[in-house]
mmCIF file of all heavy atoms in Angstrom:
data_model
loop_
_atom_site.group_PDB
_atom_site.id
_atom_site.type_symbol
_atom_site.label_atom_id
_atom_site.label_comp_id
_atom_site.label_asym_id
_atom_site.label_seq_id
_atom_site.Cartn_x
_atom_site.Cartn_y
_atom_site.Cartn_z
ATOM 1 N N ASP A 199 15.812 -0.137 -4.008
ATOM 2 C CA ASP A 199 16.013 -0.311 -5.466
ATOM 3 C C ASP A 199 16.988 0.805 -5.969
ATOM 4 O O ASP A 199 16.856 1.953 -5.631
ATOM 5 C CB ASP A 199 14.632 -0.100 -6.190
ATOM 6 C CG ASP A 199 14.720 -0.451 -7.663
ATOM 7 O OD1 ASP A 199 15.792 -0.657 -8.195
ATOM 8 O OD2 ASP A 199 13.640 -0.390 -8.303
ATOM 9 N N LEU A 200 17.988 0.370 -6.719
ATOM 10 C CA LEU A 200 19.035 1.324 -7.213
ATOM 11 C C LEU A 200 18.592 2.112 -8.411
ATOM 12 O O LEU A 200 19.228 3.066 -8.834
ATOM 13 C CB LEU A 200 20.291 0.534 -7.512
ATOM 14 C CG LEU A 200 20.935 -0.154 -6.286
ATOM 15 C CD1 LEU A 200 22.130 -0.906 -6.742
ATOM 16 C CD2 LEU A 200 21.382 0.868 -5.233
ATOM 17 N N THR A 201 17.446 1.717 -9.016
ATOM 18 C CA THR A 201 16.908 2.443 -10.178
ATOM 19 C C THR A 201 16.437 3.827 -9.790
ATOM 20 O O THR A 201 15.661 3.969 -8.844
ATOM 21 C CB THR A 201 15.722 1.637 -10.814
ATOM 22 O OG1 THR A 201 16.117 0.306 -10.998
ATOM 23 C CG2 THR A 201 15.245 2.332 -12.093
ATOM 24 N N PRO A 202 16.906 4.906 -10.436
ATOM 25 C CA PRO A 202 16.443 6.236 -10.061
ATOM 26 C C PRO A 202 14.956 6.345 -10.252
ATOM 27 O O PRO A 202 14.373 5.880 -11.254
ATOM 28 C CB PRO A 202 17.153 7.152 -11.066
ATOM 29 C CG PRO A 202 18.174 6.331 -11.781
ATOM 30 C CD PRO A 202 17.813 4.907 -11.538
ATOM 31 N N ARG A 203 14.252 6.930 -9.272
ATOM 32 C CA ARG A 203 12.778 7.044 -9.318
ATOM 33 C C ARG A 203 12.417 8.433 -8.855
ATOM 34 O O ARG A 203 13.062 9.007 -7.988
ATOM 35 C CB ARG A 203 12.187 6.048 -8.283
ATOM 36 C CG ARG A 203 11.811 4.751 -8.899
ATOM 37 C CD ARG A 203 10.396 4.779 -9.134
ATOM 38 N NE ARG A 203 9.716 3.824 -9.901
ATOM 39 C CZ ARG A 203 8.992 4.126 -10.994
ATOM 40 N NH1 ARG A 203 8.969 5.315 -11.436
ATOM 41 N NH2 ARG A 203 8.237 3.238 -11.512
ATOM 42 N N ARG A 204 11.316 8.908 -9.424
ATOM 43 C CA ARG A 204 10.769 10.178 -8.964
ATOM 44 C C ARG A 204 9.785 9.836 -7.898
ATOM 45 O O ARG A 204 8.890 9.013 -8.039
ATOM 46 C CB ARG A 204 10.039 10.887 -10.054
ATOM 47 C CG ARG A 204 10.969 11.664 -11.000
ATOM 48 C CD ARG A 204 10.218 12.405 -12.003
ATOM 49 N NE ARG A 204 8.771 12.598 -11.674
ATOM 50 C CZ ARG A 204 7.997 13.450 -12.220
ATOM 51 N NH1 ARG A 204 8.563 14.365 -13.038
ATOM 52 N NH2 ARG A 204 6.752 13.585 -11.907
ATOM 53 N N GLY A 205 9.888 10.497 -6.757
ATOM 54 C CA GLY A 205 8.943 10.301 -5.685
ATOM 55 C C GLY A 205 9.368 9.421 -4.533
ATOM 56 O O GLY A 205 10.364 8.721 -4.648
ATOM 57 N N ARG A 206 8.603 9.477 -3.510
ATOM 58 C CA ARG A 206 8.896 8.755 -2.276
ATOM 59 C C ARG A 206 7.939 7.604 -2.090
ATOM 60 O O ARG A 206 6.708 7.791 -2.298
ATOM 61 C CB ARG A 206 8.716 9.724 -1.116
ATOM 62 C CG ARG A 206 8.834 9.170 0.221
ATOM 63 C CD ARG A 206 10.179 9.432 0.783
ATOM 64 N NE ARG A 206 10.183 9.109 2.222
ATOM 65 C CZ ARG A 206 11.254 8.673 2.752
ATOM 66 N NH1 ARG A 206 12.372 8.650 2.104
ATOM 67 N NH2 ARG A 206 11.260 8.314 4.032
ATOM 68 N N PRO A 207 8.386 6.354 -1.837
ATOM 69 C CA PRO A 207 7.496 5.257 -1.629
ATOM 70 C C PRO A 207 6.653 5.482 -0.384
ATOM 71 O O PRO A 207 7.181 5.730 0.688
ATOM 72 C CB PRO A 207 8.359 4.021 -1.519
ATOM 73 C CG PRO A 207 9.758 4.508 -1.657
ATOM 74 C CD PRO A 207 9.818 5.995 -1.747
ATOM 75 N N VAL A 208 5.337 5.328 -0.532
ATOM 76 C CA VAL A 208 4.397 5.578 0.570
ATOM 77 C C VAL A 208 3.244 4.544 0.556
ATOM 78 O O VAL A 208 2.998 3.960 -0.499
ATOM 79 C CB VAL A 208 3.750 6.958 0.590
ATOM 80 C CG1 VAL A 208 4.856 8.062 0.727
ATOM 81 C CG2 VAL A 208 2.899 7.214 -0.603
ATOM 82 N N MET A 209 2.609 4.355 1.671
ATOM 83 C CA MET A 209 1.414 3.578 1.789
ATOM 84 C C MET A 209 0.403 4.568 2.409
ATOM 85 O O MET A 209 0.669 5.338 3.322
ATOM 86 C CB MET A 209 1.651 2.406 2.725
ATOM 87 C CG MET A 209 0.509 1.450 2.880
ATOM 88 S SD MET A 209 0.964 0.053 3.925
ATOM 89 C CE MET A 209 2.084 -0.839 2.899
ATOM 90 N N VAL A 210 -0.839 4.509 1.850
ATOM 91 C CA VAL A 210 -1.903 5.402 2.317
ATOM 92 C C VAL A 210 -2.977 4.480 3.003
ATOM 93 O O VAL A 210 -3.461 3.508 2.475
ATOM 94 C CB VAL A 210 -2.592 6.121 1.132
ATOM 95 C CG1 VAL A 210 -3.787 6.900 1.570
ATOM 96 C CG2 VAL A 210 -1.577 6.968 0.374
ATOM 97 N N TYR A 211 -3.285 4.846 4.266
ATOM 98 C CA TYR A 211 -4.304 4.112 5.026
ATOM 99 C C TYR A 211 -5.061 4.983 5.949
ATOM 100 O O TYR A 211 -4.710 6.102 6.250
ATOM 101 C CB TYR A 211 -3.649 2.882 5.717
ATOM 102 C CG TYR A 211 -2.731 3.253 6.882
ATOM 103 C CD1 TYR A 211 -3.201 3.261 8.177
ATOM 104 C CD2 TYR A 211 -1.385 3.570 6.658
ATOM 105 C CE1 TYR A 211 -2.379 3.602 9.280
ATOM 106 C CE2 TYR A 211 -0.546 3.833 7.781
ATOM 107 C CZ TYR A 211 -1.018 3.836 9.005
ATOM 108 O OH TYR A 211 -0.228 4.192 10.119
ATOM 109 N N THR A 212 -6.154 4.413 6.452
ATOM 110 C CA THR A 212 -6.947 5.041 7.473
ATOM 111 C C THR A 212 -7.297 3.999 8.548
ATOM 112 O O THR A 212 -7.029 2.840 8.372
ATOM 113 C CB THR A 212 -8.222 5.639 6.873
ATOM 114 O OG1 THR A 212 -8.886 6.443 7.849
ATOM 115 C CG2 THR A 212 -9.229 4.572 6.338
ATOM 116 N N ILE A 213 -7.797 4.403 9.681
ATOM 117 C CA ILE A 213 -8.164 3.537 10.722
ATOM 118 C C ILE A 213 -9.703 3.336 10.753
ATOM 119 O O ILE A 213 -10.444 4.321 10.754
ATOM 120 C CB ILE A 213 -7.730 4.103 12.132
ATOM 121 C CG1 ILE A 213 -6.300 4.502 12.127
ATOM 122 C CG2 ILE A 213 -8.039 3.093 13.254
ATOM 123 C CD1 ILE A 213 -5.273 3.384 11.958
ATOM 124 N N GLU A 214 -10.133 2.071 10.749
ATOM 125 C CA GLU A 214 -11.538 1.771 10.770
ATOM 126 C C GLU A 214 -11.711 0.647 11.791
ATOM 127 O O GLU A 214 -11.158 -0.422 11.635
ATOM 128 C CB GLU A 214 -12.109 1.316 9.411
ATOM 129 C CG GLU A 214 -13.545 0.914 9.442
ATOM 130 C CD GLU A 214 -13.943 0.177 8.147
ATOM 131 O OE1 GLU A 214 -13.365 -0.868 7.853
ATOM 132 O OE2 GLU A 214 -14.914 0.615 7.559
ATOM 133 N N ASN A 215 -12.518 0.903 12.830
ATOM 134 C CA ASN A 215 -12.774 -0.075 13.953
ATOM 135 C C ASN A 215 -11.374 -0.583 14.442
ATOM 136 O O ASN A 215 -11.236 -1.844 14.531
ATOM 137 C CB ASN A 215 -13.675 -1.182 13.426
ATOM 138 C CG ASN A 215 -15.016 -0.714 13.029
ATOM 139 O OD1 ASN A 215 -15.539 0.243 13.650
ATOM 140 N ND2 ASN A 215 -15.595 -1.301 12.008
ATOM 141 N N ASP A 216 -10.466 0.264 14.654
ATOM 142 C CA ASP A 216 -9.097 -0.134 15.208
ATOM 143 C C ASP A 216 -8.296 -0.971 14.212
ATOM 144 O O ASP A 216 -7.314 -1.615 14.620
ATOM 145 C CB ASP A 216 -9.211 -0.845 16.517
ATOM 146 C CG ASP A 216 -9.806 0.064 17.624
ATOM 147 O OD1 ASP A 216 -9.519 1.246 17.601
ATOM 148 O OD2 ASP A 216 -10.539 -0.506 18.515
ATOM 149 N N LYS A 217 -8.700 -1.012 12.940
ATOM 150 C CA LYS A 217 -7.884 -1.717 11.914
ATOM 151 C C LYS A 217 -7.328 -0.706 10.963
ATOM 152 O O LYS A 217 -7.992 0.239 10.587
ATOM 153 C CB LYS A 217 -8.770 -2.712 11.109
ATOM 154 C CG LYS A 217 -9.130 -3.967 11.826
ATOM 155 C CD LYS A 217 -9.865 -4.937 10.911
ATOM 156 C CE LYS A 217 -10.209 -6.186 11.582
ATOM 157 N NZ LYS A 217 -11.025 -7.010 10.707
ATOM 158 N N LYS A 218 -6.105 -0.947 10.512
ATOM 159 C CA LYS A 218 -5.465 -0.153 9.505
ATOM 160 C C LYS A 218 -5.919 -0.641 8.126
ATOM 161 O O LYS A 218 -5.611 -1.709 7.725
ATOM 162 C CB LYS A 218 -3.934 -0.118 9.634
ATOM 163 C CG LYS A 218 -3.451 0.445 10.936
ATOM 164 C CD LYS A 218 -1.983 0.312 11.050
ATOM 165 C CE LYS A 218 -1.561 0.957 12.464
ATOM 166 N NZ LYS A 218 -0.130 0.710 12.676
ATOM 167 N N MET A 219 -6.680 0.225 7.430
ATOM 168 C CA MET A 219 -7.265 -0.145 6.114
ATOM 169 C C MET A 219 -6.447 0.624 5.045
ATOM 170 O O MET A 219 -6.449 1.855 4.950
ATOM 171 C CB MET A 219 -8.715 0.246 6.064
ATOM 172 C CG MET A 219 -9.581 -0.418 7.093
ATOM 173 S SD MET A 219 -9.480 -2.245 7.028
ATOM 174 C CE MET A 219 -10.306 -2.593 5.513
ATOM 175 N N VAL A 220 -5.722 -0.153 4.293
ATOM 176 C CA VAL A 220 -4.740 0.376 3.284
ATOM 177 C C VAL A 220 -5.361 0.389 1.911
ATOM 178 O O VAL A 220 -6.043 -0.520 1.457
ATOM 179 C CB VAL A 220 -3.520 -0.520 3.272
ATOM 180 C CG1 VAL A 220 -2.469 -0.027 2.298
ATOM 181 C CG2 VAL A 220 -2.916 -0.597 4.684
ATOM 182 N N ALA A 221 -5.032 1.465 1.132
ATOM 183 C CA ALA A 221 -5.451 1.506 -0.259
ATOM 184 C C ALA A 221 -4.537 0.607 -1.067
ATOM 185 O O ALA A 221 -3.336 0.797 -1.091
ATOM 186 C CB ALA A 221 -5.340 3.025 -0.770
ATOM 187 N N CYS A 222 -5.178 -0.392 -1.716
ATOM 188 C CA CYS A 222 -4.396 -1.436 -2.462
ATOM 189 C C CYS A 222 -4.925 -1.499 -3.898
ATOM 190 O O CYS A 222 -6.140 -1.431 -4.107
ATOM 191 C CB CYS A 222 -4.563 -2.777 -1.816
ATOM 192 S SG CYS A 222 -3.857 -2.880 -0.168
ATOM 193 N N CYS A 223 -4.046 -1.715 -4.832
ATOM 194 C CA CYS A 223 -4.380 -1.874 -6.248
ATOM 195 C C CYS A 223 -4.752 -3.325 -6.480
ATOM 196 O O CYS A 223 -4.007 -4.185 -6.086
ATOM 197 C CB CYS A 223 -3.214 -1.510 -7.139
ATOM 198 S SG CYS A 223 -2.538 0.084 -6.824
ATOM 199 N N TYR A 224 -5.829 -3.550 -7.238
ATOM 200 C CA TYR A 224 -6.218 -4.899 -7.547
ATOM 201 C C TYR A 224 -6.100 -5.235 -8.995
ATOM 202 O O TYR A 224 -6.110 -6.399 -9.413
ATOM 203 C CB TYR A 224 -7.594 -5.240 -6.936
ATOM 204 C CG TYR A 224 -7.435 -5.660 -5.485
ATOM 205 C CD1 TYR A 224 -7.458 -4.699 -4.546
ATOM 206 C CD2 TYR A 224 -7.173 -6.952 -5.160
ATOM 207 C CE1 TYR A 224 -7.273 -5.018 -3.202
ATOM 208 C CE2 TYR A 224 -7.017 -7.269 -3.826
ATOM 209 C CZ TYR A 224 -7.019 -6.342 -2.864
ATOM 210 O OH TYR A 224 -6.858 -6.650 -1.551
ATOM 211 N N ASP A 225 -6.195 -4.310 -9.826
ATOM 212 C CA ASP A 225 -5.975 -4.485 -11.285
ATOM 213 C C ASP A 225 -5.631 -3.116 -11.777
ATOM 214 O O ASP A 225 -5.365 -2.191 -11.003
ATOM 215 C CB ASP A 225 -7.181 -5.073 -11.975
ATOM 216 C CG ASP A 225 -8.459 -4.296 -11.887
ATOM 217 O OD1 ASP A 225 -8.395 -3.019 -11.856
ATOM 218 O OD2 ASP A 225 -9.569 -4.923 -11.944
ATOM 219 N N GLU A 226 -5.588 -2.935 -13.094
ATOM 220 C CA GLU A 226 -5.135 -1.634 -13.598
ATOM 221 C C GLU A 226 -6.089 -0.471 -13.375
ATOM 222 O O GLU A 226 -5.778 0.663 -13.688
ATOM 223 C CB GLU A 226 -4.855 -1.746 -15.137
ATOM 224 C CG GLU A 226 -3.673 -2.560 -15.442
ATOM 225 C CD GLU A 226 -3.301 -2.555 -16.917
ATOM 226 O OE1 GLU A 226 -3.932 -1.787 -17.653
ATOM 227 O OE2 GLU A 226 -2.380 -3.258 -17.216
ATOM 228 N N ASN A 227 -7.230 -0.788 -12.724
ATOM 229 C CA ASN A 227 -8.166 0.278 -12.441
ATOM 230 C C ASN A 227 -8.696 0.316 -10.970
ATOM 231 O O ASN A 227 -8.919 1.364 -10.443
ATOM 232 C CB ASN A 227 -9.405 0.219 -13.390
ATOM 233 C CG ASN A 227 -10.349 1.353 -13.254
ATOM 234 O OD1 ASN A 227 -11.304 1.272 -12.509
ATOM 235 N ND2 ASN A 227 -10.034 2.446 -13.978
ATOM 236 N N GLN A 228 -8.839 -0.825 -10.396
ATOM 237 C CA GLN A 228 -9.495 -0.938 -9.052
ATOM 238 C C GLN A 228 -8.572 -0.708 -7.878
ATOM 239 O O GLN A 228 -7.434 -1.193 -7.879
ATOM 240 C CB GLN A 228 -10.126 -2.361 -8.936
ATOM 241 C CG GLN A 228 -11.288 -2.678 -9.941
ATOM 242 C CD GLN A 228 -12.402 -1.617 -9.817
ATOM 243 O OE1 GLN A 228 -12.941 -1.376 -8.726
ATOM 244 N NE2 GLN A 228 -12.790 -1.064 -10.956
ATOM 245 N N VAL A 229 -9.114 0.040 -6.896
ATOM 246 C CA VAL A 229 -8.396 0.282 -5.669
ATOM 247 C C VAL A 229 -9.374 -0.149 -4.533
ATOM 248 O O VAL A 229 -10.531 0.268 -4.522
ATOM 249 C CB VAL A 229 -7.979 1.751 -5.452
ATOM 250 C CG1 VAL A 229 -7.379 1.970 -4.101
ATOM 251 C CG2 VAL A 229 -7.112 2.172 -6.582
ATOM 252 N N ARG A 230 -8.963 -0.966 -3.620
ATOM 253 C CA ARG A 230 -9.795 -1.483 -2.496
ATOM 254 C C ARG A 230 -9.040 -1.260 -1.217
ATOM 255 O O ARG A 230 -7.869 -1.148 -1.140
ATOM 256 C CB ARG A 230 -10.063 -2.952 -2.718
ATOM 257 C CG ARG A 230 -10.847 -3.266 -3.928
ATOM 258 C CD ARG A 230 -11.132 -4.746 -3.974
ATOM 259 N NE ARG A 230 -11.746 -5.086 -5.285
ATOM 260 C CZ ARG A 230 -11.576 -6.212 -5.872
ATOM 261 N NH1 ARG A 230 -10.934 -7.156 -5.344
ATOM 262 N NH2 ARG A 230 -12.123 -6.390 -7.043
ATOM 263 N N ALA A 231 -9.834 -1.247 -0.151
ATOM 264 C CA ALA A 231 -9.277 -1.119 1.225
ATOM 265 C C ALA A 231 -9.007 -2.534 1.741
ATOM 266 O O ALA A 231 -9.840 -3.407 1.616
ATOM 267 C CB ALA A 231 -10.292 -0.430 2.144
ATOM 268 N N GLU A 232 -7.811 -2.728 2.284
ATOM 269 C CA GLU A 232 -7.439 -4.014 2.801
ATOM 270 C C GLU A 232 -6.699 -3.822 4.132
ATOM 271 O O GLU A 232 -5.911 -2.880 4.293
ATOM 272 C CB GLU A 232 -6.448 -4.694 1.827
ATOM 273 C CG GLU A 232 -6.104 -6.107 2.192
ATOM 274 C CD GLU A 232 -5.212 -6.714 1.123
ATOM 275 O OE1 GLU A 232 -5.675 -6.817 -0.005
ATOM 276 O OE2 GLU A 232 -4.085 -7.132 1.477
ATOM 277 N N PRO A 233 -7.041 -4.670 5.176
ATOM 278 C CA PRO A 233 -6.360 -4.452 6.457
ATOM 279 C C PRO A 233 -4.940 -5.046 6.438
ATOM 280 O O PRO A 233 -4.656 -6.164 6.147
ATOM 281 C CB PRO A 233 -7.222 -5.380 7.391
ATOM 282 C CG PRO A 233 -7.886 -6.346 6.512
ATOM 283 C CD PRO A 233 -8.004 -5.706 5.161
ATOM 284 N N MET A 234 -3.974 -4.101 6.605
ATOM 285 C CA MET A 234 -2.535 -4.470 6.736
ATOM 286 C C MET A 234 -1.697 -3.197 6.793
ATOM 287 O O MET A 234 -2.105 -2.176 6.392
ATOM 288 C CB MET A 234 -2.071 -5.297 5.522
ATOM 289 C CG MET A 234 -1.843 -4.459 4.260
ATOM 290 S SD MET A 234 -0.837 -5.287 3.136
ATOM 291 C CE MET A 234 -1.419 -4.540 1.643
ATOM 292 N N VAL A 235 -0.558 -3.307 7.350
ATOM 293 C CA VAL A 235 0.542 -2.323 7.213
ATOM 294 C C VAL A 235 1.790 -3.087 7.614
ATOM 295 O O VAL A 235 2.205 -3.147 8.740
ATOM 296 C CB VAL A 235 0.418 -1.078 8.115
ATOM 297 C CG1 VAL A 235 1.625 -0.179 7.989
ATOM 298 C CG2 VAL A 235 -0.817 -0.290 7.761
ATOM 299 N N PRO A 236 2.426 -3.691 6.583
ATOM 300 C CA PRO A 236 3.676 -4.485 6.857
ATOM 301 C C PRO A 236 4.856 -3.570 7.173
ATOM 302 O O PRO A 236 4.911 -2.435 6.774
ATOM 303 C CB PRO A 236 3.895 -5.241 5.558
ATOM 304 C CG PRO A 236 3.266 -4.462 4.508
ATOM 305 C CD PRO A 236 2.106 -3.718 5.157
ATOM 306 N N ASN A 237 5.813 -4.124 7.912
ATOM 307 C CA ASN A 237 7.052 -3.366 8.312
ATOM 308 C C ASN A 237 7.993 -3.347 7.018
ATOM 309 O O ASN A 237 8.628 -2.351 6.803
ATOM 310 C CB ASN A 237 7.674 -3.931 9.465
ATOM 311 C CG ASN A 237 6.963 -3.611 10.727
ATOM 312 O OD1 ASN A 237 6.276 -2.561 10.814
ATOM 313 N ND2 ASN A 237 7.011 -4.495 11.721
ATOM 314 N N ASN A 238 8.074 -4.518 6.393
ATOM 315 C CA ASN A 238 9.002 -4.609 5.242
ATOM 316 C C ASN A 238 8.282 -5.309 4.128
ATOM 317 O O ASN A 238 7.478 -6.273 4.367
ATOM 318 C CB ASN A 238 10.273 -5.444 5.708
ATOM 319 C CG ASN A 238 11.031 -4.699 6.710
ATOM 320 O OD1 ASN A 238 11.353 -3.507 6.568
ATOM 321 N ND2 ASN A 238 11.403 -5.386 7.757
ATOM 322 N N ILE A 239 8.668 -4.999 2.893
ATOM 323 C CA ILE A 239 8.086 -5.583 1.697
ATOM 324 C C ILE A 239 9.268 -5.995 0.848
ATOM 325 O O ILE A 239 10.016 -5.205 0.377
ATOM 326 C CB ILE A 239 7.154 -4.662 0.941
ATOM 327 C CG1 ILE A 239 5.972 -4.267 1.847
ATOM 328 C CG2 ILE A 239 6.671 -5.279 -0.370
ATOM 329 C CD1 ILE A 239 5.103 -3.206 1.267
ATOM 330 N N ASP A 240 9.471 -7.360 0.740
ATOM 331 C CA ASP A 240 10.677 -7.847 0.005
ATOM 332 C C ASP A 240 10.345 -8.019 -1.492
ATOM 333 O O ASP A 240 10.514 -9.105 -2.053
ATOM 334 C CB ASP A 240 11.098 -9.173 0.612
ATOM 335 C CG ASP A 240 11.597 -9.013 2.031
ATOM 336 O OD1 ASP A 240 12.148 -7.880 2.329
ATOM 337 O OD2 ASP A 240 11.522 -9.919 2.810
ATOM 338 N N GLU A 241 9.871 -6.974 -2.093
ATOM 339 C CA GLU A 241 9.514 -6.932 -3.516
ATOM 340 C C GLU A 241 9.855 -5.638 -4.048
ATOM 341 O O GLU A 241 9.987 -4.633 -3.332
ATOM 342 C CB GLU A 241 8.003 -7.226 -3.702
ATOM 343 C CG GLU A 241 7.477 -8.522 -3.088
ATOM 344 C CD GLU A 241 5.960 -8.530 -3.093
ATOM 345 O OE1 GLU A 241 5.407 -8.227 -4.172
ATOM 346 O OE2 GLU A 241 5.447 -8.864 -2.051
ATOM 347 N N THR A 242 9.982 -5.519 -5.423
ATOM 348 C CA THR A 242 10.241 -4.218 -5.999
ATOM 349 C C THR A 242 8.937 -3.453 -6.362
ATOM 350 O O THR A 242 8.971 -2.270 -6.633
ATOM 351 C CB THR A 242 11.023 -4.388 -7.351
ATOM 352 O OG1 THR A 242 10.299 -5.226 -8.235
ATOM 353 C CG2 THR A 242 12.402 -4.965 -7.067
#
């Protein structure tokens, strides 16, 4: 993205039973663990 941004894009995850469990936003308040770590994300 060419828009100036403060900060570095990151994904936060942990390993549970050999699965990568990622912190994901589900609405303006909820954060849930979801299994994934994609290589590329074609969205802004």
Side-chain angles (χ1 to χ4, degrees):
D199 188 356
L200 298 176
T201 308
R203 267 259 171 238
R204 279 185 16 160
R206 173 101 172 149
V208 299
M209 185 178 287
V210 176
Y211 70 94
T212 190
I213 309 293
E214 178 193 58
N215 298 326
D216 296 325
K217 285 185 180 177
K218 295 176 181 177
M219 302 302 292
V220 179
C222 295
C223 307
Y224 276 88
D225 61 31
E226 289 189 5
N227 186 268
Q228 297 300 311
V229 176
R230 296 183 188 150
E232 184 176 303
M234 75 161 154
V235 175
N237 287 329
N238 297 310
I239 298 171
D240 295 330
E241 304 169 46
T242 58

